[in-house]
Amino acid sequence: MGAGLAAKPKDMKTLQKRLAGPVFATCAALAPAAVQAHPHIFVDTGLAVQIGAGGALEAVEVTWAYDEFYSLLIFEDLGLDPDADGVLTDDELARLKGFDLKWSAGYAGDTYLTRNEAPLALTAPEHLSTEVVDGRITTRHRRGLKAPVPAEAVVIRAYDPTYYTAYTVNQGVSVGAGCRAEITEPDLDRAYTLVEELLYAMPADQAEAAYPEVGEAFADTVRLICGD
């Protein structure tokens, strides 16, 4: 395994460079197309946890700040920013609103909450804001809890199971009064090893169509701690 892969990158660009390093080069020999395609989108992520009376977790607001290249692809796909200055008009922003909330059936929204390892059901996303700064799209949406639960020991992870999109919780985590958030970074050595093992276990001609679901292994873990 390549030197330096055990430490978590401080930003998405560093992660992109490391994903092109020794471990993924090894995997590429087994399944070139699959490895090159994962991850492809990089998202800086923020969370705002809403806690109600009695310490019940009621909702979480999710911020997604997309990388510059993916933002450019969205502009091109929607026919926005024709002068390529990275600044959108009010009309263009209106057209961009909610572009990332048109979810297909069964899509979980890449935000997963659990308590005592049991999954918590969330409501459909509610758009809060969309803005473009320095050519990057940043959006916010709200997900409510279908059944509020005590916030204590709730775990939040942001990840794409297929690891096509890489999320990093580096835009802050705000928590309601009486609780705090403890963030644990992923063990990248372990995550890369998992990728290698799973790719070795499948025929190379099947890897692209059935890329192993390793996204959770690369996810930051946000744990809510309430009280003293």
Side-chain angles (χ1 to χ4, degrees):
M1 187 158 297
L5 290 177
K8 184 177 185 298
K10 297 300 182 182
D11 55 56
M12 286 299 184
K13 290 183 179 178
T14 303
L15 177 57
Q16 286 172 304
K17 291 177 181 178
R18 289 189 177 178
L19 289 174
V23 172
F24 273 67
T26 299
C27 295
L30 300 174
V35 174
Q36 291 170 7
H38 298 273
H40 192 70
I41 303 168
F42 295 82
V43 183
D44 295 335
T45 304
L47 301 169
V49 180
Q50 299 177 355
I51 299 176
L57 175 62
E58 296 182 340
V60 59
E61 293 183 4
V62 181
T63 297
W64 287 338
Y66 297 94
D67 67 81
E68 293 91 339
F69 182 66
Y70 183 69
S71 296
L72 177 60
L73 293 180
I74 294 300
F75 294 159
E76 292 179 347
D77 186 56
L78 297 179
L80 307 176
D81 193 28
D83 57 3
D85 65 353
V87 179
L88 269 59
T89 66
D90 290 342
D91 287 342
E92 288 176 322
L93 280 173
R95 289 170 55 195
L96 186 64
K97 176 182 175 180
F99 82 95
D100 55 355
L101 299 182
K102 299 173 183 178
W103 298 351
S104 58
Y107 175 61
D110 290 351
T111 300
Y112 298 87
L113 275 66
T114 60
R115 189 171 191 274
N116 297 327
E117 300 186 0
L120 302 178
L122 302 176
T123 61
E126 172 191 353
H127 175 268
L128 298 177
S129 67
T130 298
E131 62 179 354
V132 175
V133 178
D134 296 330
R136 293 185 64 186
I137 302 170
T138 298
T139 68
R140 290 191 309 119
H141 64 271
R142 181 182 185 275
R143 307 282 307 278
L145 272 291
K146 289 187 176 180
V149 299
E152 169 65 28
V154 167
V155 170
I156 306 172
R157 294 186 178 93
Y159 65 91
D160 170 10
T162 67
Y163 203 42
Y164 188 85
T165 301
Y167 296 88
T168 297
V169 181
N170 57 6
Q171 298 297 294
V173 178
S174 63
V175 184
C179 298
R180 60 186 175 87
E182 179 182 85
I183 303 176
T184 302
E185 298 176 343
D187 182 340
L188 291 186
D189 252 351
R190 182 177 180 181
Y192 288 130
T193 298
L194 175 64
V195 173
E196 287 185 292
E197 291 175 345
L198 292 175
L199 287 178
Y200 270 121
M202 68 172 60
D205 60 353
Q206 296 179 15
E208 183 171 9
Y211 192 85
E213 294 195 347
V214 297
E216 185 175 3
F218 288 89
D220 295 305
T221 297
V222 179
R223 181 178 296 275
L224 302 184
I225 301 173
C226 303
D228 297 334

